Amino acid sequence: MTDAAALPGQPRGVVTSGPATARTVNVLAPNASAMTLDGTNTWLVSEPGSDLAVVIDPGPLDDVHLRAVIAAAEGAGKRIALTLLTHGHPDHAEGAGRFAELTRTKVRALDPALRLGDEGLAAGDVIRTGGLELRVVPTPGHTSDSLCFHLPADRAVLTGDTILGRGTTVVAHPDGRLGDYLDSLRRLRSLTVDDGVHTVLPGHGPVLEDAQGAVEFYLAHRAHRLAQVETAVENGFVTPEAVVAQVYADVDRSLWPAAEWSVRAQLEYLQDHGLIPGGLE
């Protein structure tokens, strides 16, 4: 068995509901799958001693889960005052409308279509609730509307699907773009270098104790995959399906449809940079 400390990002191990840092509690949604890993991590975030809490990504439309999030807050003597979304994929955001109804809260997101209330989210926004401070970090790439939330007091960042607690994420082409994603990873690396962030609180999988190590691993992984895709094209594998079969041969075939999104994003990136011929499908 591999020591978790030797894995990229130093994952804590088993994913469970419960406290993760001084200001965060995970409520794990019951939607485990190959794509969602152990399920969606719904984050309850609050300042110690405050009676107000913020929820990040209420998760799927599952009343049992949504009520479990509310119960976790109430059990800690807190009232949910605001709901935030890292992005609009259903496993993170489908339950937001119902959750807002149950908690009578507003929903803030980058995408106007996901908001409930007048306020959205944008780069540089600082959210202050009950003494808590969360800073909005734009991280497009997985999707065009992806955001992360920097929690300075815990030296942590809540990453949605931009960085996962296990494995790597998909660039959901055509909405997601690889160039944007690489820029977002570099932005997160700056948080680890310049702002002292050391903990990743992901949308799926375990908490990571080595944020910088996780980001560096993701950047290296993307560079490696790009090189593999470029080589595959040079060897005559010119359709996304053919490239997936060549490059992702050792990956569970159930994940190949998602891998094709990333391959399409990689092909677009390589074409845009003149590294492979244009006009490929």
Side-chain angles (χ1 to χ4, degrees):
M1 181 177 293
T2 302
D3 184 355
L7 296 172
Q10 296 182 18
R12 287 188 184 174
V14 178
V15 183
T16 59
S17 295
T21 67
R23 291 165 178 80
T24 62
V25 173
N26 181 26
V27 184
L28 182 64
N31 62 335
S33 73
M35 289 294 291
T36 61
L37 305 181
D38 310 84
T40 300
N41 295 329
T42 294
W43 291 104
L44 187 68
V45 190
S46 61
E47 191 67 17
S50 172
D51 62 353
L52 299 179
V54 173
V55 165
I56 297 175
D57 289 351
L61 183 54
D62 180 323
D63 244 44
V64 173
H65 172 63
L66 300 178
R67 292 181 184 277
V69 177
I70 295 169
E74 291 178 345
K78 299 178 186 293
R79 175 177 65 83
I80 296 167
L82 181 64
T83 302
L84 306 175
L85 299 178
T86 61
H87 66 296
H89 278 167
D91 54 316
H92 294 258
E94 186 183 36
R98 174 59 174 156
F99 191 69
E101 179 183 306
L102 291 170
T103 58
R104 298 181 180 179
T105 59
K106 295 179 180 179
V107 177
R108 295 180 63 179
L110 178 62
D111 185 349
L114 299 172
R115 301 171 188 168
L116 291 174
D118 298 329
E119 289 186 285
L121 292 170
D125 283 354
V126 179
I127 297 153
R128 293 183 174 90
T129 302
L132 180 74
E133 180 182 297
L134 287 166
R135 300 175 184 173
V136 177
V137 182
T139 50
H142 169 67
T143 61
S144 61
D145 69 329
S146 288
L147 299 170
C148 293
F149 297 98
H150 177 201
L151 178 56
D154 282 355
R155 297 173 64 193
V157 60
L158 297 106
T159 55
D161 281 354
T162 299
I163 293 179
L164 304 178
R166 185 169 65 250
T168 56
T169 198
V170 66
V171 178
H173 185 271
D175 180 51
R177 295 176 61 87
L178 182 57
D180 291 341
Y181 185 64
L182 294 174
D183 287 343
S184 293
L185 290 177
R186 296 180 188 111
R187 190 171 296 120
L188 290 175
R189 181 170 58 188
S190 293
L191 283 182
T192 70
V193 173
D194 300 331
D195 296 277
V197 166
H198 62 67
T199 302
V200 172
L201 304 171
H204 304 281
V207 172
L208 301 178
E209 301 284 8
D210 176 16
Q212 186 172 353
V215 175
E216 296 291 359
F217 170 77
Y218 265 58
L219 285 166
H221 171 78
R222 285 297 163 195
H224 178 63
R225 282 292 192 221
L226 273 172
Q228 288 181 307
V229 170
E230 185 176 0
T231 299
V233 172
E234 290 171 352
N235 290 335
F237 299 94
V238 296
T239 68
E241 296 83 0
V243 172
V244 168
Q246 180 72 12
V247 173
Y248 291 82
D250 60 343
V251 174
D252 189 324
R253 290 179 70 98
S254 69
L255 297 175
W256 280 17
E260 186 178 323
W261 292 344
S262 285
V263 164
R264 288 180 181 274
Q266 289 161 342
L267 290 171
E268 179 184 66
Y269 180 89
L270 290 169
Q271 288 173 357
D272 288 348
H273 287 76
L275 297 172
I276 60 173
L280 300 180
E281 291 186 10

